Amino acid sequence: RYCMNQSLEGSGMTSRRTRLRMLERLRTQGIRNEALLEVMLNTPRHLFVETGFAERAYEDTALPIGQGQTISQPYAVARMTDLLLEHGKPENVLEVGTGCGYQTAVLASLVKKVNTVERILPLQQRAKDLLWSLKFRNIRFKHCDGGWGWPEYGPYDGILVSAAPTEIPDALLKQLAKGGVMIIPVGIGREQTLQRIVHESDGFTVENIESATFVPLLARLVQASGQRVTVLRLAPRCRTVPD
Ligand code: SAH
């Protein structure tokens, strides 16, 4: 299980002082949203990483969270959230790729409702338990292929994708409300571009933000740890043309 023996407040390398250093770094990296910085100061990132990595939780690096996945580096979480919030204030957000739930926690502290999907069930369950124990009550979880979104609770005025498809899945564009914004890394292998897509009245605008490195968006579901992966379906592909 998670390092729940680690305290919420943290000490030493997980203390407030270490967290303040992370904040300073984020500021020099161009993050200006004070509400977001405050949330990142108060979110116990050391509880989200694998036991043994807590001491490194506030470094600007990706760290293992089990199942061959990584927690996104603080800068990536900050930048994506910043871009999402810059565009009005989304209330009903879809997150694709829950992972350890750290980005979910940051989002849920800033918006009304977060709907989050993950393809690896054990990761999702762990994130769900941890976020519940941290008193979050505005998050819905689903084990599914995020390439299809989560139509039931859409349309969303914000969509944040933490894994990179080679093209933007059509289903996600369909679930983006008019006026809504999607932040998504797109590309093959390590060659990805972080994009911001806005659903305007006459179609979608796509803005290239910067280069990014995320794990690929895979259309395979994992039910349990060590279990063979089953290919259920291929991720939908689409062109980014006006609707
Ligand atoms: N924000 C997360 C990022 C984890 S990495 C964190 O900080 O922990 C990206 C996550 O996306 C991984 O957990 C991976 O399993 C998940 N993922 C990849 N493809 C997916 C898909 N098609 N549907 C849902 N989740 C997916």
Side-chain angles (χ1 to χ4, degrees), residues 39 42-44 48 101-102 104-110 127-128 130-139 141:
V39 163
N42 294 319
T43 307
F48 290 84
Y102 176 73
T104 322
V106 171
L107 276 175
S109 305
L110 292 158
K128 195 172 174 179
L130 178 59
L131 290 164
W132 183 263
S133 76
L134 292 174
K135 309 276 188 288
F136 286 97
R137 298 293 181 267
N138 59 340
I139 306 168
F141 297 84

Side-chain angles (χ1 to χ4, degrees), residues 146-165:
W148 295 98
W150 190 355
E152 200 178 344
Y153 297 106
Y156 303 97
D157 43 16
I159 300 181
L160 192 154
V161 185
S162 298

Side-chain angles (χ1 to χ4, degrees), residues 45 65 69-72 77 95-104 117-120 123 144-147 162-163 215-220:
R45 188 172 158 89
I65 54 170
Q69 304 301 313
T70 52
I71 182 173
S72 308
V77 172
E95 181 195 27
V96 176
T98 318
C100 67
Y102 176 73
Q103 168 80 72
T104 322
V117 303
E118 170 57 54
R119 73 177 186 95
I120 302 175
L123 279 184
C144 68
D145 169 9
S162 298
V215 300
L217 186 83
L218 300 174
R220 285 184 238 116

